[in-house]
């Protein structure tokens, strides 16, 4: 890909689009993308205000992110399997709801659907407690511990040290929307199969993620990863990989008519998914 805000991880075949979380960037998906290339052409998109996105300084809202993803998938090859973490999971759901012809299947990781009542004050307090600028990348990795490699991808070097690429003011503005509305109306328009991977120690409201495949017309499966925090694919990479590969083996390898073959919540109808654990 010639676009600076798109990372082409390689692979061939059906498009697999990766959408990152708030504060992240497309390159954070590299540990996942390297095994996903066995299943298709894997690309990652830097969301507005993040990574190498040319879109800066605006009051971005969910439809803006969805429009960017829809344009990319249309150009690269649809329908795509879309995998999103947190904010990226919400945008993936919105993309499938607004453009069902572009999305073959969804994987969403620890996503928030109804955060009404939450404010950005907690985010501000968290960011204020971080020792930014960091004097070195090693400090970034040590400070964030098991998630250190992930956060090392999200900073850039400036004259006084390492700062987060995504400006906090833009992050606060993006997150403010989530406290103002719920997104169940989008979930209830998703007609493709969906795999919901939830962290045992999720930062999202209890019980909501289990409802997603039950309320989505396309159905799907809700899977809780024991011991994992919000960054499931970093905290439990092999479990995450196993769950996603089992899902993809059904979605991609078996030439399933997705319009006709509904997957009920927890009902693993295809034999290739035998033994795929669920909550």
């Amino acid at each position: 890909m010639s676009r600076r805000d798109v990372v082409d991880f390689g692979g061939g075949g059906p498009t697999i689009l990766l959408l990152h979380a708030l504060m992240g960037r497309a390159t954070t998906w590299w540990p996942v993308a390297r095994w996903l290339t066995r299943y298709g052409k894997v690309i990652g998109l830097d969301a507005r205000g993040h990574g190498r996105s040319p879109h800066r300084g605006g009051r971005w809202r969910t439809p803006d992110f969805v429009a960017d993803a829809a344009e990319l998938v249309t150009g690269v090859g649809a329908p795509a399997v879309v995998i999103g973490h947190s904010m990226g999971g919400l945008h993936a759901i919105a993309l499938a709801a607004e453009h069902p012809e572009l999305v073959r299947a969804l994987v969403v990781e620890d996503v928030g659907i109804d955060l009404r009542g939450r404010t950005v004050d907690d985010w501000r307090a968290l960011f204020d407690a971080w020792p930014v600028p960091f004097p070195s990348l090693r400090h970034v990795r040590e400070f964030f511990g098991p998630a250190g490699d992930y956060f090392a991808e999200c900073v850039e070097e400036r004259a006084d040290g390492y700062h987060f690429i995504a400006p906090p003011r833009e992050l606060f503005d993006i997150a403010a929307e989530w406290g103002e509305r719920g997104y169940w109306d989008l979930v209830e328009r998703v007609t493709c199969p969906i795999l919901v991977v939830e962290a045992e120690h999720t930062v999202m409201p209890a019980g909501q993620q289990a409802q997603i495949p039950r309320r989505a017309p396309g159905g799907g499966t809700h899977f809780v990863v024991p011991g994992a925090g919000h960054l499931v694919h970093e905290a439990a990479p092999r479990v995450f990989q196993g769950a996603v590969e089992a899902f993809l083996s059904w979605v991609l390898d078996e030439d399933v008519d997705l319009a006709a073959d509904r997957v009920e919540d927890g009902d693993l109808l295809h034999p290739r998914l035998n033994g795929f654990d669920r909550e």
Side-chain angles (χ1 to χ4, degrees):
M1 298 291 294
S2 60
R3 289 175 46 174
R4 283 177 50 82
D5 60 342
V6 175
V7 177
D8 186 345
F9 291 104
T15 302
I16 301 176
L17 173 63
L18 303 176
L19 301 178
H20 63 78
L22 188 72
M23 194 191 302
R25 62 184 305 187
T27 57
T28 60
W29 282 111
W30 179 77
V32 173
R34 59 182 177 176
W35 53 261
L36 274 176
T37 55
R38 297 198 294 269
Y39 296 90
K41 178 178 179 59
V42 183
I43 57 175
L45 175 64
D46 282 333
R48 296 184 178 219
H50 297 73
R52 294 177 177 175
S53 172
H55 301 286
R56 300 289 175 178
R59 292 180 57 82
W60 315 124
R61 293 294 179 265
T62 299
D64 301 311
F65 298 106
V66 171
D68 293 340
E71 179 184 25
L72 178 58
V73 171
T74 300
V76 175
V81 173
V82 184
I83 301 176
H85 173 226
S86 196
M87 176 185 77
L90 175 62
H91 296 164
I93 288 171
L95 177 65
E98 299 289 347
H99 302 280
E101 75 283 0
L102 298 181
V103 182
R104 184 173 188 175
L106 289 179
V107 177
V108 295
E109 173 190 352
D110 218 44
V111 64
I113 296 299
D114 192 346
L115 305 180
R116 283 177 291 182
R118 292 192 181 184
T119 70
V120 298
D121 291 340
D122 290 341
W123 281 93
R124 288 194 178 94
L126 180 64
F127 290 169
D128 288 345
W130 290 351
V132 180
F134 294 90
S136 72
L137 285 177
R138 180 171 293 184
H139 185 205
V140 174
R141 291 188 172 94
E142 289 180 352
F143 183 81
F144 289 104
D149 287 341
Y150 178 93
F151 282 102
E153 293 272 2
C154 304
V155 298
E156 62 182 0
E157 186 175 15
R158 301 177 190 168
D160 59 345
Y162 289 86
H163 293 256
F164 286 103
I165 298 171
R169 65 183 181 280
E170 292 192 37
L171 299 180
F172 299 151
D173 186 60
I174 293 169
E177 176 194 344
W178 306 335
E180 298 168 355
R181 62 156 295 187
Y183 297 90
W184 289 114
D185 59 315
L186 296 178
V187 170
E188 291 167 355
R189 292 163 55 195
V190 174
T191 56
C192 65
I194 182 168
L195 169 64
V196 181
V197 181
E198 180 176 358
E200 179 184 5
H201 306 297
T202 182
V203 297
M204 303 305 175
Q208 284 191 10
Q209 294 184 70
Q211 291 296 318
I212 294 173
R214 295 171 184 160
R215 296 178 65 165
T221 295
H222 169 239
F223 178 67
V224 176
V225 179
H230 184 54
L231 277 166
V232 180
H233 66 271
E234 292 279 342
R238 296 188 66 179
V239 177
F240 182 81
Q241 178 178 349
V244 174
E245 286 192 322
F247 182 68
L248 292 180
S249 73
W250 174 73
V251 170
L252 297 178
D253 291 351
E254 294 296 326
D255 192 25
V256 176
D257 181 358
L258 299 179
D261 199 351
R262 174 186 168 88
V263 184
E264 299 293 344
D265 176 51
D267 251 351
L268 305 176
L269 303 180
H270 198 276
R272 287 290 296 274
L273 291 181
N274 286 343
F276 177 46
D277 294 331
R278 65 180 176 86
E279 183 193 16

